[in-house]
Amino acid sequence: EKLPPSPVNPTIMTPVQLAIDQDKYWLSELRCLIRKCIEVFTAVKEDICDRSRRGGTKRPIKLGRIGLRCRYCKHLPAVRRAKGAVSYPHSIRVVHQS
């Protein structure tokens, strides 16, 4: 299922919570909680700048790249976020490691 495009920029998608209603049937309470705290988003200019200042990435982040982030600390400046609060998995195979 495709995400709806942002009205500001059609290449940038509206963030979506990772959790779905059916999680409770398949996952433990802890995993359900974790999924409720994570959202899928597409990188915007500010995300790219934050990531390049922080370093630690082998592949540069490009506009529109799909990422995972904590819904509760996304509003904090990058320097105040916990390590791993934002992740850009390079493959769907390694999403669970993010």
Side-chain angles (χ1 to χ4, degrees), residues 65-86:
R65 181 157 173 191
I66 300 296
L68 302 172
R69 67 182 172 199
C70 171
R71 295 177 55 216
Y72 301 103
C73 61
K74 68 181 181 183
H75 67 282
L76 296 173
V79 296
R80 294 198 50 220
R81 290 184 211 139
K83 184 178 180 181
V86 179

Side-chain angles (χ1 to χ4, degrees), residues 34-82:
I34 291 169
R35 285 173 57 99
K36 287 178 183 176
C37 296
I38 299 171
E39 69 180 13
V40 179
F41 73 103
T42 52
V44 295
K45 187 176 179 180
E46 294 79 21
D47 298 316
I48 296 166
C49 292
D50 288 346
R51 186 56 168 214
S52 63
R53 274 192 292 252
R54 186 169 190 154
T57 183
K58 295 177 184 173
R59 299 176 186 190
I61 305 304
K62 295 182 181 173
L63 186 67
R65 181 157 173 191
I66 300 296
L68 302 172
R69 67 182 172 199
C70 171
R71 295 177 55 216
Y72 301 103
C73 61
K74 68 181 181 183
H75 67 282
L76 296 173
V79 296
R80 294 198 50 220
R81 290 184 211 139

